[in-house]
């Protein structure tokens, strides 16, 4: 099959998956008591009696109708980008708005962590995989095993204790701040015009916005804030990539073409670089999708521990305030991100290995 | 009569002869497993954790209090003022790892916590794997429409990260640890369904299934007599590996705050929540020690699972 047909087919396959996901979310929403669903739609200051307000909200949401029709109402709202309403102090009342405000921060953490872990894991995995059963290999095994077994939120707490500023009294290595995405004390009192509701414009990422607007101290501060969450996230997926990279290296070095390359006198460095590592990358790419799933799960806990204002932190706030639409909306958004990443992984896979077409 | 009994005798004999290779196989497997020292150490550690859990059930008074289902019996004062004592040997055995929130000693509560953590994890993985294994094996064996539908359903479960799915389901069911358990069961079976479906598919094309069908064995009988026993070893390996991830997920969900109404429940994730009270004061033991206790279990489970995989996978052994 040609590559573009493969990509087209893969994209078309997304539709049933996303529809299935929306049905699943709808079943979950249907299981929630209706009074909880309409709560954010009510206005306590309105002169209209509450009973009528509830009826209006139910009509608006389509929840008065049988389930299949109510689902169509839900789907219609989703297609218009409307994930429902929420009522939480300090946040916008639209779930979509709140998630869009927080999403850049989550993406920033996951992308930084992915880049860092790939940048470490590929060379390290190559080094270890070329020397199976050596001391470095044993150390790598212990490292990736603990990475697998380590609960992400506990690692986050440990890093706060070890490297966090102001945790252990007089901690000599405590340099990194432990909560938030920037230090609010660095913002002048009438906040600059690019600050709206605690978020910065235009990207919502303090790191980039402070650079754009030339606020250098804020830039350094926001970089410091990102270090610990990214380190925590990195450790978990680094272990996974390292494990697969090592296995791929060992597997590839037993292949006939490696023996051929060696016997015709190709220098060992080139054999490792061109013949073994390139082939070891293929199985590693396939597991990236799984690792992204772990990454997105981990980011919720890590944002909670570091109070980093991303979608994960927003979700945990929503749990404490029982905001059904927010939690369901965030679940859907995380699902979409995962589905799209899997698409990218599959396409990358097909691009790197011309033998593979489904 | 005499004829009958002799006939029965031969059947019995044939049965015992038939069984012997399996027993020898098991002995061989056991020998291989014990040989793998690292996996065996993991196994022993897991056994110790299980033994403590059983002790929590049969003789809870070894912990020195009457009720171990809540940390209330250990609470000295319900105020967060003052500093909990650090790890010390001078206050007796139970205070060896220091105190945590409300001046509760860490060591006995940690032991009591295994009752919650390990029991719930085993329930989740056991029910999840049984349901998933049954659905997956049937799906792999019978295929067709049923297979297609089941696989599309598992696709949905795979399209959301597990932790987030667990959060959504628990929110719908209501905040309590029982509901966390139900939510984790709901999201956990698809892993096993997918895993066993693949194995069942590969077993299905074997000659002995064909032979069984030719000699009149029905599809259902084939599944239960020929396919399921072969699927079991794969499920068993996954089961042992999952125990570690489920304990982590369970603790994480408790840490997020789904244990409404049970703030004093002895549970490792909950203990970490208590520990965060003193985080900025630099009091490390309420966080570090329960975490290490959890980490030892998950590492041991992973070591054991890896060892089991090496031994039970027929392609890797011999």
């Amino acid at each position: 099959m040609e590559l573009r047909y493969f990509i087209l087919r893969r994209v078309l396959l997304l539709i049933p998956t996303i529809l299935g996901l929306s049905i699943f979310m709808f079943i979950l929403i249907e299981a929630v008591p209706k009074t909880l669903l309409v709560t954010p739609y009510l206005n306590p200051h309105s002169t209209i009696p509450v009973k009528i307000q509830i009826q209006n909200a139910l009509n608006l949401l389509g929840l008065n109708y049988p389930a299949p029709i109510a689902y169509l109402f839900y789907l219609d709202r989703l297609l218009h980008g409307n994930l429902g309403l929420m009522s939480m102090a300090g946040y916008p009342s639209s779930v979509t708005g709140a998630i869009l405000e927080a999403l850049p921060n989550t993406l920033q953490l996951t992308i930084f962590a992915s880049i860092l872990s790939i940048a470490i894991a590929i060379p390290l995995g190559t080094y270890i995989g070329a020397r199976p059963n050596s001391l470095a290999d044993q150390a790598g095994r212990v490292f990736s095993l603990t990475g697998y077994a380590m609960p992400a939120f506990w690692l986050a707490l440990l890093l706060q204790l070890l490297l966090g500023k102001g945790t252990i009294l007089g901690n000599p290595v405590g340099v990194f701040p432990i909560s938030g995405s920037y230090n609010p004390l660095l913002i002048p009192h009438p906040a600059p015009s690019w600050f709206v509701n605690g978020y910065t414009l235009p990207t919502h990422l303090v790191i980039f916005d402070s650079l754009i607007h030339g606020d250098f101290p804020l830039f350094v501060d926001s970089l410091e804030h990102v270090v610990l969450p990214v380190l925590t996230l990195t450790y978990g997926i680094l272990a996974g990539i390292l494990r697969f990279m090592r296995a791929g290296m060992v597997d590839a070095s037993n292949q006939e073409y490696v023996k051929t390359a060696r016997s015709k006198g190709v220098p060992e460095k080139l054999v490792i670089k061109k013949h073994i590592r390139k082939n070891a990358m293929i199985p590693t790419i396939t597991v990236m999708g799984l690792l992204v799933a772990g990454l997105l799960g981990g980011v919720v806990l890590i944002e909670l521990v570091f109070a980093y204002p991303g979608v994960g932190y927003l979700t945990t706030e929503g749990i404490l305030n029982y905001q059904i639409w927010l939690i369901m909306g965030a679940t859907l958004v995380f699902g979409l991100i995962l589905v799209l990443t899997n698409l990218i992984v599959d396409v990358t896979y097909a691009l790197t290995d011309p033998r593979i077409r489904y | 009569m005499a004829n009958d009994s002799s006939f029965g005798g031969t059947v019995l004999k044939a049965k015992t002869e038939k069984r012997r290779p399996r027993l020898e196989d098991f002995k061989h497997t056991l020998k291989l497993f014990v040989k793998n020292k690292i996996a065996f150490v993991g196994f022993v550690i897991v056994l110790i954790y299980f033994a403590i859990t059983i002790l929590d059930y049969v003789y809870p008074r070894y912990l020195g209090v009457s009720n171990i289902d809540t940390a209330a019996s250990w609470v000295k004062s319900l105020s967060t003022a003052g500093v909990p004592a650090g790890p010390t040997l001078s206050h007796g055995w139970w205070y060896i790892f220091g105190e945590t929130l409300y001046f509760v000693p860490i060591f006995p509560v940690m032991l009591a916590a295994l009752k919650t953590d390990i029991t719930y994890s085993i329930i989740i993985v056991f029910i999840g794997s049984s349901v998933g294994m049954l659905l997956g094996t049937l799906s792999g064996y019978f295929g067709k429409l049923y297979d297609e539908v089941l696989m599309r359903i598992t696709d949905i479960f795979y399209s959301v990260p597990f932790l987030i799915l667990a959060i959504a389901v628990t929110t719908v069911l209501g905040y309590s640890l029982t509901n966390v358990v139900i939510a984790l069961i709901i999201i956990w079976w698809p892993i096993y369904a997918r895993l066993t479906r693949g194995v069942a598919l590969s077993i299905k094309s074997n000659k002995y299934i064909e032979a069984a069908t030719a000699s009149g064995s029905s599809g259902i009988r084939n599944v239960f007599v020929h396919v399921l026993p072969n699927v079991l070893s794969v499920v068993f390996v996954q089961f042992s590996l999952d125990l570690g991830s489920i304990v982590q997920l369970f603790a994480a969900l408790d840490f997020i705050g789904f244990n409404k109404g049970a703030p004093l429940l002895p549970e490792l994730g909950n203990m970490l929540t208590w520990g965060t009270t003193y985080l900025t004061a630099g009091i490390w033991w309420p966080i570090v020690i329960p975490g290490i206790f959890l980490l030892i279990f998950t590492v041991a489970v992973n070591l054991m699972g890896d060892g089991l995989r090496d031994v039970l996978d027929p392609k890797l052994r011999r």
Side-chain angles (χ1 to χ4, degrees):
Chain A
M1 210 195 288
E2 240 184 285
L3 185 63
R4 55 192 165 135
Y5 288 118
F6 165 73
I7 293 174
L8 185 71
R9 186 170 173 263
R10 188 63 187 68
V11 170
L12 285 179
L13 272 177
L14 276 186
I15 297 168
T17 313
I18 291 174
L19 272 183
L21 183 61
S22 73
I23 293 176
F24 184 70
M25 297 317 299
F26 176 73
I27 292 172
L28 288 182
I29 289 170
E30 275 281 294
V32 176
K34 292 213 166 76
T35 45
L36 275 173
L37 290 177
V38 295
T39 315
Y41 286 82
L42 306 180
N43 180 3
H45 307 298
S46 165
T47 48
I48 307 167
V50 179
K51 262 192 179 170
I52 295 173
Q53 281 197 46
I54 290 178
Q55 276 312 312
N56 287 343
L58 284 176
N59 281 333
L60 180 76
L61 295 170
L63 290 171
N64 274 339
Y65 297 96
I69 297 177
Y71 169 69
L72 291 181
F73 270 85
Y74 176 63
L75 194 62
D76 178 61
R77 269 176 282 140
L78 288 188
L79 291 176
H80 285 95
N82 176 3
L83 292 170
L85 293 186
M86 56 188 247
S87 51
M88 241 157 67
Y91 290 98
S93 62
S94 142
V95 171
T96 318
I99 289 180
L100 283 182
E101 269 184 357
L103 192 60
N105 273 332
T106 303
L107 293 182
Q108 169 179 271
L109 286 187
T110 46
I111 290 172
F112 280 4
S114 310
I115 294 174
L116 190 62
S117 53
I118 290 171
I120 298 174
I122 301 287
L124 198 62
T126 312
Y127 181 85
I128 287 171
R131 297 162 184 75
N133 298 324
S134 66
L135 196 66
D137 186 29
Q138 301 293 352
R141 192 174 291 165
V142 172
F143 178 77
S144 53
L145 185 78
T146 32
Y148 254 58
M150 181 96 73
F153 62 103
W154 183 58
L155 180 63
L157 292 171
L158 273 191
L159 284 181
Q160 284 189 333
L161 275 174
L162 273 177
L163 301 171
K165 202 187 273 177
T167 48
I168 293 186
L169 303 168
N171 185 358
V173 283
V175 272
F176 299 109
I178 58 170
S179 78
S181 62
Y182 62 88
N183 183 358
L185 294 176
L186 284 177
I187 313 295
H189 183 51
S193 60
W194 45 282
F195 255 89
V196 178
N197 293 334
Y199 284 96
T200 54
L201 295 176
T203 59
H204 289 195
L205 300 171
V206 183
I207 293 181
F208 298 104
D209 289 337
S210 57
L211 259 193
I212 291 171
H213 297 281
D215 192 341
F216 198 68
L218 186 63
F219 170 71
V220 174
D221 178 66
S222 53
L223 263 191
E224 279 176 357
H225 274 87
V226 99
V227 170
L228 291 185
V230 166
L231 277 185
T232 321
L233 264 181
T234 304
Y235 187 46
I237 48 168
L238 178 62
I241 304 178
L242 198 62
R243 199 165 168 166
F244 276 94
M245 192 63 200
R246 186 219 170 247
M249 287 290 291
V250 173
D251 221 37
S253 45
N254 289 330
Q255 297 294 324
E256 295 293 325
Y257 53 74
V258 173
K259 272 182 211 158
T260 313
R262 280 203 180 115
S263 56
K264 73 184 181 195
V266 178
E268 185 62 24
K269 260 191 180 168
L270 275 183
V271 173
I272 290 175
K273 214 170 147 187
K274 295 248 154 129
H275 294 266
I276 307 181
R277 192 176 69 184
K278 264 198 170 173
N279 284 291
M281 301 275 268
I282 296 168
T284 313
I285 291 173
T286 52
V287 297
M288 292 293 186
L290 272 179
L291 292 172
V292 171
L295 193 63
L296 290 177
V299 86
V300 175
L301 290 167
I302 285 158
E303 283 177 5
L304 168 69
V305 174
F306 289 104
Y308 203 84
V311 184
Y313 183 66
L314 184 69
T315 313
T316 50
E317 291 277 286
I319 292 167
L320 296 180
N321 292 297
Y322 219 84
Q323 300 294 328
I324 303 286
W325 293 106
L326 172 59
I327 296 166
M328 295 301 150
T331 310
L332 199 65
V333 168
F334 274 117
L336 283 181
I337 297 176
L338 184 56
V339 169
L340 289 180
T341 341
N342 277 333
L343 173 76
I344 297 170
V345 167
D346 278 5
V347 172
T348 323
Y349 190 37
L351 284 175
T352 35
D353 192 349
R355 287 169 301 185
I356 288 156
R357 294 288 182 274
Y358 301 96
Chain B
M1 275 308 251
N3 263 351
D4 277 4
S5 70
S6 72
F7 182 67
T10 50
V11 170
L12 202 68
K13 211 174 161 192
K15 259 191 182 166
T16 49
E17 263 173 13
K18 217 169 133 193
R19 267 204 175 154
R20 207 165 282 153
R22 277 208 179 155
L23 192 70
E24 268 170 22
D25 205 41
F26 178 70
K27 273 184 189 163
H28 183 64
T29 309
L30 205 67
K31 219 184 268 171
L32 278 178
F33 182 71
V34 174
K35 236 192 218 166
N36 184 348
K37 285 206 183 75
I38 298 176
F40 190 67
V41 169
F43 176 65
V44 170
I45 293 173
V46 172
L47 273 190
I48 293 172
Y49 273 71
F50 281 5
I52 297 171
T53 313
I54 293 170
L55 198 60
D56 282 344
Y57 275 101
V58 295
Y59 188 65
R61 282 168 67 191
Y62 82 102
L63 289 172
V65 290
S66 53
N67 183 6
I68 68 161
D69 292 326
T70 160
S73 341
W74 282 286
V75 170
K76 274 189 202 150
S77 127
L78 274 174
S79 111
T80 50
V83 176
T88 166
L89 277 169
S90 54
H91 295 308
W93 197 234
W94 292 135
Y95 287 82
I96 183 171
F97 290 137
E99 296 171 340
T100 177
L101 186 66
Y102 304 143
F103 310 97
V104 167
I106 292 176
F107 188 36
V109 180
M110 216 158 67
L111 296 182
L114 290 188
K115 186 179 173 184
T116 321
D117 277 304
I118 290 188
T119 312
Y120 281 161
S121 303
I122 288 181
I123 290 175
I124 293 163
V125 185
F126 185 75
I127 299 181
S129 63
S130 315
V131 172
M133 178 173 74
L134 210 61
L135 290 175
T137 311
L138 290 173
S139 164
Y141 188 83
F142 291 109
K144 290 178 195 162
L145 184 68
Y146 170 69
D147 184 38
E148 195 61 35
V149 171
L150 191 83
M151 283 307 110
R152 291 294 81 76
I153 293 176
T154 58
D155 271 354
I156 297 170
F157 282 86
Y158 269 84
S159 62
V160 183
F162 284 124
L163 181 76
I164 294 155
L165 201 56
I167 287 175
V169 177
T170 317
T171 307
V172 168
L173 295 173
Y175 298 174
S176 79
L177 280 191
T178 327
N179 286 337
V180 169
V181 172
I182 297 173
L184 285 175
I185 291 172
I186 290 176
I187 66 166
W188 215 250
W189 67 266
I191 297 180
Y192 288 90
R194 277 213 176 172
L195 185 74
T196 53
R197 173 190 174 261
V199 182
L201 264 180
S202 70
I203 292 172
K204 192 184 156 186
S205 55
N206 274 333
K207 286 281 174 214
Y208 60 83
I209 299 287
E210 224 174 273
T213 315
S215 56
S217 166
S218 71
I220 292 284
R221 194 189 135 83
N222 274 350
V223 167
F224 283 95
V225 177
H226 298 294
V227 183
L228 265 187
N230 288 305
V231 167
L232 267 180
S233 68
V234 183
V235 170
F236 194 59
V237 171
Q238 186 68 27
F239 186 104
S240 59
L241 287 171
D242 275 354
L243 215 50
S245 2
I246 276 289
V247 169
Q248 276 185 47
L249 257 183
F250 187 74
L253 286 165
D254 196 347
F255 182 77
I256 288 177
F258 279 119
N259 61 334
K260 276 264 165 77
L264 281 177
L265 182 83
E267 198 278 333
L268 291 171
N270 205 13
M271 289 184 78
L272 291 174
T273 319
W274 303 342
T276 53
T277 319
Y278 301 106
L279 182 84
T280 45
I283 293 173
W284 54 271
W285 52 94
I287 290 171
V288 173
I289 287 167
I292 290 178
F293 196 59
L294 180 61
L295 185 68
I296 291 174
F297 180 70
T298 50
V299 167
V301 161
N302 272 298
L303 290 175
M304 183 184 78
D306 280 346
L308 275 180
R309 175 160 49 201
D310 292 350
V311 169
L312 288 176
D313 191 341
K315 279 179 211 142
L316 287 174
R317 67 194 280 189
R318 288 183 191 118

